[in-house]
Amino acid sequence: MTQPDLFALDAVVVGQPKRSKWRTYRGPALAVSTVEGTPLAEVTDLDHTHFLLTRTSGEVVFRIEKRSWVESFQQFGPVRFHFADGADREIGTAGARGLVKSRQLSLRTEQGRRLLLTRLSAASVEWRLTEADPESGDPAPEILGRVEVSTVDPWLGLQQYVVAMTPRLDASERRTFVASVVCLHLIRRPPGEGSGVA
């Protein structure tokens, strides 16, 4: 059976794979699948600042590099993520600032389109993808995608993100959107941190 194209689907699930609390986990940091559960790709944490998304076939889809001004105090300063394809060509960025960095991510696609991934409120489990208003920089009214987060394992605090995309996003913009959801998880649940979420 042919595997569905990751960036042609209207929705995908990005989540932490299940694991045992009693054994050291050595699998991928995140798994990407269809809503029905068919595996599509995996995110590997290379060194807590570089992450690799590969299809189940082993093909590299993109790399994410996390940069912050002062690594030991990164919770206070802005954080920027750079996305590169398998040939190391930059294909987009995401950035967050402020004390609650998971409130809004500013995205730039490969074609230069400016998008925002915005959380509705501090208690909300939903983020909305919109274009950035060219004059004010605020989210435009039209919703281009949604991310809904849930805890799939309360014991370990494992997170799952359902990523829904509208037809107004092309394949490269969908790629940036999925990459930004990986970044959102890295902001909310930094590697090596406890189970608290933001």
Side-chain angles (χ1 to χ4, degrees):
M1 185 168 88
T2 306
Q3 187 183 59
D5 181 359
L6 172 57
F7 304 116
L9 298 170
D10 291 333
V12 296
V13 177
V14 178
Q16 292 178 280
K18 293 187 176 177
R19 60 199 72 179
S20 169
K21 185 173 181 67
W22 315 114
R23 289 190 217 116
T24 301
Y25 178 72
R26 301 190 187 283
L30 294 168
V32 183
S33 66
T34 64
V35 174
E36 296 77 25
T38 304
L40 298 170
E42 295 180 343
V43 177
T44 305
D45 177 356
L46 301 178
D47 60 7
H48 294 346
T49 57
H50 294 82
F51 303 85
L52 188 65
L53 186 137
T54 54
R55 297 184 198 273
T56 52
S57 64
E59 175 196 356
V60 174
V61 181
F62 57 72
R63 292 176 171 82
I64 298 175
E65 181 186 355
K66 178 183 175 184
R67 301 177 187 171
S68 56
W69 294 111
V70 183
E71 201 61 42
S72 56
F73 296 102
Q74 61 182 293
Q75 66 268 28
F76 302 112
V79 176
R80 196 143 187 86
F81 298 90
H82 290 257
F83 313 142
D85 63 15
D88 283 330
R89 184 175 54 92
E90 188 169 290
I91 55 172
T93 62
R97 62 182 66 211
L99 290 176
V100 184
K101 292 186 178 56
S102 62
R103 190 71 186 266
Q104 186 175 82
L105 272 68
S106 301
L107 316 178
R108 184 182 52 78
T109 69
E110 185 176 3
Q111 291 80 23
R113 189 177 187 187
R114 303 279 178 179
L115 302 172
L116 295 173
L117 183 58
T118 307
R119 190 179 195 176
L120 303 181
S121 71
S124 179
V125 296
E126 182 181 273
W127 284 259
R128 291 180 179 173
L129 182 74
T130 61
E131 204 151 8
D133 184 282
E135 292 183 11
S136 67
D138 294 334
E142 184 181 7
I143 297 171
L144 302 172
R146 297 177 193 269
V147 178
E148 190 167 329
V149 66
S150 59
T151 302
V152 292
D153 185 334
W155 178 252
L156 295 176
L158 301 181
Q159 304 289 291
Q160 174 179 277
Y161 303 81
V162 178
V163 184
M165 299 169 269
T166 68
R168 296 246 7 246
L169 296 173
D170 65 25
S172 70
E173 292 165 344
R174 289 169 184 240
R175 179 178 59 190
T176 300
F177 187 20
V178 171
S180 75
V181 173
V182 174
C183 299
L184 177 63
H185 176 76
L186 296 174
I187 290 170
R188 296 181 73 238
R189 298 293 301 271
E193 293 291 321
S195 60
V197 296

